Amino acid sequence: MATPLDPEMFDPLCPSDLSPFRFGDKWGGLVIRCLEGGPRRFSELRVPLRGVSAKALTASLRRLEASGLVRRSEQPGPPRRVEYALTALGRSMLGPIEAVCAWNREHWDELLDAREGVAHPD
């Protein structure tokens, strides 16, 4: 059994519209990060992604699956068990996502200031 996802895995402001980068949709990059440690059930993904509705998470998972980044597997039940896991292609996104996260951390204050209309000298 995988270690439970940390409910505080993401900053409460995340995902925010501050980041100019998207991986599929608003939640795609965060879903990929949640699946980094192995397969997860839908309910497990909802823990750190507490701001996402069930409908939006389902849509994001379907888009990631259609893009070949996530694999959905269903074990016959009862109880029925559905898990989501990264494919090799999805796992190849972890490096670029980490680079984007590092860039966002480095420029977070500037992004916040830009949102608030505060000018920065270049």
Side-chain angles (χ1 to χ4, degrees), residues 10-72:
F10 301 112
D11 185 291
L13 294 176
C14 271
S16 83
D17 295 330
L18 291 177
S19 179
F21 303 100
R22 295 280 184 265
F23 291 91
D25 60 31
K26 180 178 181 177
W27 301 98
L30 298 176
V31 170
I32 290 170
R33 292 294 298 261
C34 287
L35 296 175
E36 183 175 4
R40 298 288 177 174
R41 297 181 72 183
F42 187 88
S43 60
E44 291 179 280
L45 296 172
R46 297 280 315 267
V47 173
L49 301 175
R50 58 191 169 277
V52 66
S53 69
K55 181 179 178 180
L57 180 55
T58 297
S60 186
L61 285 163
R62 285 181 180 158
R63 278 190 287 275
L64 291 168
E65 186 179 11
S67 298
L69 302 175
V70 169
R71 180 187 71 253
R72 179 184 185 274

